[in-house]
Amino acid sequence: LKVRLDPVDDAAFAAAAGAPRSAIFVERPRGQGMPAMPDDGVLRVVLDPGHGGIDPGAEAGGLVEAELMLTFARELRDVLLRAGGFSVAMTRSDDVFVPLETRITLAREAGVEVFLSLHADALPESAGRASGATIYTLSEDASDLASRKLAERHDQSDLLAGVDLSGQSDEIALVLMDLARRDTAPRADRLADELVWGMSGTLGRLNSRPRRSAAFSVLKAPDFPSVLIELGFLSSARDRERLADPDWRAQAAAGIRDGLRRWAEAEAPIRN
């Protein structure tokens, strides 16, 4: 890799710096995001297709993660709506870039009960081979750090649903977020388990370790259950073939539907 640096004046540097003009960026202010989903007893699901716009995500074998996950999110939305018992919103419905914490804000504004982030990553050769779907929850070790970073960076009026912490200290915010996460963390774990059950039923074999946890930023919301679904790995030729197959994706969507439905039934006393 060769890099050549040439001196230019401030105006020329400013004109050429940053993202290209063709980049699509979405930073929607609060109150101007997704419309709220109806609170009529159905399970309110927000689908979060990973990446988008200037961030294409993983790319391999002619497949682009951002495009593939947007396609799958639309297919999954249709499956859930046809099944009945669900209302569905999406953090993005086009090839746009939405910052991670804005995705949380948009989900909360929509009245989310369940947040599903959709991805199809690629691993470098040095990391070994991996294939099959994997479901992630926020790791227990990362939860305290996640809360602290959210409290430091995020709008204090948007850290917890229905609680305006403007003017309050980070310490107060952290205590309330910890209390909220004590309720949502086990619910997210049960959700992930049900999704593994549902997808195993329609797809058969998943990843050798289908239940994992990690410090994904998009899972940091303390007040609603969130999981990240790695539908497959673009670094795996077998997974690429499956992910490109509409019939396979339909089976994956059916498994997610089944898992969500069983989770909602078990959660009925809490939700009602």
Side-chain angles (χ1 to χ4, degrees):
L1 176 64
K2 295 182 179 180
V3 178
R4 191 181 78 178
L5 302 178
D6 294 322
V8 296
D9 58 36
D10 290 348
F13 180 85
R21 293 182 180 274
S22 60
I24 303 174
F25 180 88
V26 172
E27 176 71 85
R28 281 170 277 196
R30 295 189 70 233
Q32 299 182 24
M34 301 182 294
M37 292 178 283
D39 187 7
D40 53 4
V42 300
L43 183 64
R44 300 188 299 277
V45 181
V46 170
L47 303 179
D48 175 48
H51 308 282
I54 59 174
D55 174 19
E59 300 180 59
L63 297 178
V64 178
E65 183 180 7
E67 298 173 0
L68 186 61
M69 289 303 99
L70 180 57
T71 297
F72 180 69
R74 290 168 174 162
E75 295 168 345
L76 176 56
R77 176 192 59 193
D78 293 344
V79 166
L80 295 177
L81 293 177
R82 284 197 302 268
F86 300 96
S87 58
V88 184
M90 293 169 53
T91 57
R92 67 181 183 93
S93 54
D94 298 297
D95 186 22
V96 296
F97 174 74
V98 184
L100 293 175
E101 290 175 7
T102 301
R103 296 170 188 253
I104 296 173
T105 297
L106 293 172
R108 188 174 288 125
E109 289 179 352
V112 61
E113 288 186 274
V114 171
F115 183 88
L116 304 181
S117 191
L118 307 172
H119 289 260
D121 207 351
L123 296 178
E125 290 185 9
S126 59
R129 297 180 179 180
S131 64
T134 310
I135 315 296
Y136 284 88
T137 53
L138 183 68
S139 98
E140 190 172 318
D141 294 337
S143 60
D144 290 341
L145 179 61
S147 293
R148 183 168 296 280
K149 289 192 174 296
L150 268 182
E152 289 172 355
R153 294 197 311 263
H154 212 42
D155 182 350
Q156 292 287 83
S157 64
D158 186 41
L159 288 173
L160 287 167
V163 180
D164 188 348
L165 293 171
S166 300
Q168 301 295 332
S169 67
D170 285 354
E171 287 72 20
I172 293 176
L174 287 168
V175 169
L176 293 177
M177 291 165 70
D178 179 61
L179 290 173
R181 189 164 278 123
R182 289 183 188 182
D183 173 64
T184 55
R187 297 179 68 207
D189 286 336
R190 290 192 294 269
L191 172 61
D193 290 340
E194 297 295 4
L195 291 173
V196 168
W197 170 85
M199 296 176 72
S200 297
T202 58
L203 295 176
R205 184 179 176 185
L206 305 182
N207 184 270
S208 58
R209 286 178 52 220
R211 272 287 279 112
R212 305 191 186 201
S213 60
F216 289 116
S217 294
V218 79
L219 300 180
K220 290 178 181 178
D223 51 334
F224 52 82
S226 307
V227 301
L228 185 145
I229 301 174
E230 287 281 5
L231 202 57
F233 292 88
L234 292 184
S235 48
S236 163
R238 182 172 61 179
D239 279 5
R240 287 198 302 271
E241 182 179 357
R242 292 170 173 170
L243 290 165
D245 182 357
D247 292 334
W248 186 90
R249 295 198 305 269
Q251 292 177 332
I256 294 172
R257 174 203 63 204
D258 294 346
L260 284 172
R261 182 177 282 158
R262 197 160 89 153
W263 182 84
E265 291 173 355
E267 291 278 310
I270 300 175
R271 297 178 56 231
N272 296 333

